[in-house]
C-alpha cells in the first residue's frame, strides 16, 4: 500500500505549483531485485551487529518509490529527507513483521494515521 508523507513545509513543484506531501509507492519484486536492501548489516567483534544505511542505495529507493518527478526531491530539507528514508525502512520492517515507528505517515487510501519506521534508536518508541 502506498504511503503519503506530510512534509514540514511547502516546496516548489512542477509548473509553479507547490507541494507539502509526497506519496511513496509500495515496493515490488522488481524494485527489490533491481536495488537490493537499502541497508547493510555490519557485524561487530564478539557477535551481533547493526544495520547501516547505504546512502546511494537509499537514494535510489526513495527516487524509485516516489510517485512523481524525483528531481523535485533534491530541494527537501533534512527533516523531510529523513521522513522519506524512514518510509523506505518502514516498508522493509512491515514486510518482515517488525514494529514500526510512530510518525505522521498515512496510507494513501485511508484518512487515518499509520506508522512509519526507521531503525529504532534508544529514545524511540515503537508500536507492535
Amino acid at each position: 500500500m502506498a504511503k503519503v508523507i506530510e512534509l514540514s513545509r511547502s516546496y516548489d513543484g512542477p509548473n509553479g505549483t507547490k507541494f507539502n506531501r509526497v506519496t511513496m509507492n509500495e515496493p515490488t519484486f522488481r524494485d527489490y531485485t533491481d536495488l537490493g536492501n537499502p541497508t547493510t548489516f555490519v557485524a561487530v567483534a564478539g557477535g551481533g551487529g547493526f544495520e547501516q544505511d547505504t546512502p546511494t542505495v537509499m537514494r535510489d529507493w526513495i527516487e524509485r518509490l516516489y510517485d512523481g518527478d524525483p528531481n523535485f526531491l533534491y530541494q527537501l530539507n533534512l527533516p523531510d529527507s529523513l521522513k522519506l528514508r524512514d518510509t523506505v525502512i518502514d516498508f522493509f520492517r512491515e514486510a518482515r513483521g517488525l514494529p514500526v515507528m510512530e510518525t505522521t505517515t498515512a496510507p494513501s487510501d485511508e484518512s487515518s494515521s499509520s506508522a512509519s519506521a526507521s531503525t529504532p534508536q534508544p529514545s524511540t518508541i515503537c508500536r507492535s
Side-chain angles (χ1 to χ4, degrees):
M1 175 179 298
K3 295 177 185 273
V4 176
I5 297 86
E6 299 291 331
L7 303 174
S8 65
R9 65 180 187 82
S10 291
Y11 295 93
D12 294 327
N15 303 318
T17 61
K18 297 279 191 185
F19 66 97
N20 63 358
R21 66 178 59 135
V22 298
T23 300
M24 300 286 283
N25 294 312
E26 182 177 15
T28 65
F29 172 79
R30 180 172 298 277
D31 296 328
Y32 182 70
T33 57
D34 285 352
L35 301 176
N37 287 316
T39 59
T40 302
F41 185 78
V42 178
V44 295
F50 59 93
E51 284 190 343
Q52 178 176 311
D53 287 2
T54 308
T56 56
V57 178
M58 184 62 72
R59 179 201 61 222
D60 293 345
W61 270 106
I62 291 169
E63 289 179 353
R64 173 78 65 100
L65 299 181
Y66 173 54
D67 188 19
D69 182 347
N71 290 311
F72 290 101
L73 296 175
Y74 289 96
Q75 63 186 310
L76 298 183
N77 62 22
L78 183 58
D80 290 335
S81 298
L82 291 174
K83 286 180 182 181
L84 300 187
R85 176 257 182 216
D86 291 349
T87 301
V88 171
I89 296 298
D90 186 31
F91 279 123
F92 279 80
R93 292 183 64 81
E94 287 174 347
R96 292 183 174 117
L98 298 172
V100 296
M101 310 248 285
E102 300 288 334
T103 68
T104 58
T105 304
S108 63
D109 61 350
E110 295 179 15
S111 60
S112 65
S113 211
S114 157
S116 182
S118 74
T119 305
Q121 302 299 316
S123 63
T124 302
I125 299 172
C126 294
R127 69 170 180 83
S128 298

